[in-house]
Amino acid sequence: MKKIICKREYDTEASTLVKKYTEGELGDAAGFEESLYQTEKGLYFLYVNGGSESPYAKEDIKSLSKAKAEQWLEKH
């Protein structure tokens, strides 16, 4: 998936997967996944996707600061 945020391109295929977090089972309406990526330029972003009742009912990309990425890693 690709998304432009503040004139910066975030692309899951061109970036490095740092860690993936999954909650719930496949087909679970409340289940979701969060995948932390780092771009070649050192930017961080989360790719999110989930079931209809999850916090991520729609596939999306969310940019993160380095500090927020580190907090996410500590939490997961």
Side-chain angles (χ1 to χ4, degrees), residues 10-12 15-22 33-39 42-48 60-76:
Y10 298 90
D11 183 353
T12 56
S15 300
T16 303
L17 177 63
V18 177
K19 186 172 183 180
K20 180 184 270 190
Y21 172 76
T22 304
E33 72 177 25
E34 299 174 328
S35 301
L36 179 65
Y37 286 87
Q38 185 176 22
T39 69
L43 302 173
Y44 291 93
F45 67 93
L46 275 181
Y47 164 79
V48 297
D60 200 7
I61 287 179
K62 301 174 180 290
S63 64
L64 294 177
S65 66
K66 184 177 180 181
K68 291 285 185 185
E70 289 171 353
Q71 288 176 353
W72 185 90
L73 281 169
E74 288 176 11
K75 183 179 173 186
H76 298 94

